[in-house]
Amino acid sequence: MIVVFLGPPGAGKGTQAQRLVEEKGFIHISTGDLLREAVRKGTELGKKAKEYMDRGELVPDDLIVAMIKEKLPKEGNVILDGFPRTVAQAEALDRMLQNMGKRVDAVVLFDVPDEVVIERLSGRRIDPKTGKVYHIKYNPPPEGVEVIQRDDDREEVIRKRLEVYRKQTAPLIEYYKERNLLKVLDATLPPEEVYKQLLQVLGL
Ligand code: ADP
Ligand code: AMP
């Protein structure tokens, strides 16, 4: 099963993906995580991607599609988190899956207003050792766990990312609606409630 997680940055996609991995054995492919790893390792891709990421803009489609081609698992239940983010990427994904005899089975839209996203992103903290995601108010890190803030989780970059989402990514809502794949979640609710909706829309 191939599931796409769609929604603005900070909607809770990564948080829910982590749970589906732990409880249902999904494979989580986050293009944001893959890009940050490339930046950390200083690869060619990382060097090219960093300037876009720091500005809150999208990394060019050709780089993203090449990266996904390499990382897309041949087997298993997969969550694509943060990909596709443009119509061109969605078309490339459709072609790629078709060549593997597969298709996108469901697209889950994490529906949440901008104010909530801004509050979630400005309070987001990461444990760099495990990659686990916390929030200073909603999911504080345990005592002794040293957390960091992502470079792009600063107010001015957050606003840019939201603008980019609206212009370049939100058209995918229509793209997948037309294909009868779209499932909408109320992502303003607490994580437990969002997870329940997620299991329901995926029929799990
Ligand atoms: P995304 O992967 O969509 O960018 P994250 O999963 O990283 O979003 O969540 C963004 C922030 O919001 C994190 O700090 C996370 O702990 C917090 N968060 C996630 N889901 C919820 C929720 N349902 N209610 C409150 N806070 C949440
Ligand atoms: P995320 O972790 O999903 O919030 O992504 C962080 C940043 O990585 C984004 O702001 C983009 O610069 C870049 N990025 C992640 N996924 C994509 C994608 N599918 N297409 C283009 N850029 C991406």
Side-chain angles (χ1 to χ4, degrees):
M1 182 184 209
I2 311 279
V3 181
V4 170
F5 277 10
L6 186 63
K13 303 181 297 295
T15 300
Q16 296 298 327
Q18 205 167 308
R19 189 132 179 220
L20 273 187
V21 168
E22 283 162 14
E23 296 185 17
K24 304 284 173 188
F26 273 75
I27 303 166
H28 179 205
I29 306 281
S30 153
T31 42
D33 286 350
L34 291 172
L35 289 168
R36 279 183 291 278
E37 190 188 319
V39 170
R40 227 178 11 253
K41 289 186 177 159
T43 65
E44 278 310 303
L45 169 66
K47 284 182 204 148
K48 287 184 195 150
K50 188 173 185 329
E51 53 177 312
Y52 297 97
M53 297 170 78
D54 285 347
R55 287 200 297 265
E57 291 170 11
L58 294 186
V59 175
D61 288 335
D62 55 338
L63 295 179
I64 297 292
V65 169
M67 178 178 84
I68 277 283
K69 260 191 188 140
E70 207 178 290
K71 302 283 182 180
L72 197 62
K74 307 263 177 296
E75 303 294 331
N77 292 326
V78 178
I79 304 163
L80 294 175
D81 168 6
F83 174 86
R85 253 174 157 103
T86 63
V87 170
Q89 290 181 17
E91 289 168 350
L93 174 65
D94 285 345
R95 283 194 295 274
M96 225 182 287
L97 290 175
Q98 201 175 10
N99 288 335
M100 299 162 74
K102 296 186 183 190
R103 61 193 291 271
V104 171
D105 295 285
V107 177
V108 181
L109 174 65
F110 287 66
D111 192 21
V112 57
D114 285 5
E115 321 83 82
V116 175
V117 159
I118 291 166
E119 207 207 353
R120 285 189 186 171
L121 288 182
S122 36
R124 174 159 68 183
R125 298 292 183 275
I126 317 284
D127 176 353
K129 292 204 184 90
T130 60
K132 265 192 179 285
V133 178
Y134 297 99
H135 190 282
I136 47 174
K137 186 161 145 201
Y138 302 118
N139 180 21
E143 193 89 25
V145 172
E146 298 251 358
V147 291
I148 55 162
Q149 186 167 25
R150 262 170 60 171
D151 287 344
D152 57 354
D153 280 348
R154 285 175 293 119
E155 176 114 9
E156 48 314 349
V157 189
I158 292 173
R159 290 196 186 276
K160 176 70 185 172
R161 286 156 70 204
L162 278 171
E163 184 193 320
V164 165
Y165 172 76
R166 261 191 300 275
K167 281 204 188 122
Q168 295 183 262
T169 307
L172 290 178
I173 297 173
E174 206 46 48
Y175 182 92
Y176 287 120
K177 214 188 257 176
E178 280 169 6
R179 286 160 180 74
N180 273 325
L181 291 172
L182 197 74
K183 326 265 181 199
V184 184
L185 303 186
D186 177 356
T188 62
L189 299 175
E192 185 61 36
E193 296 303 315
V194 179
Y195 188 66
K196 276 188 200 149
Q197 294 177 66
L198 184 58
L199 292 183
Q200 201 196 359
V201 299
L202 294 179
L204 297 171

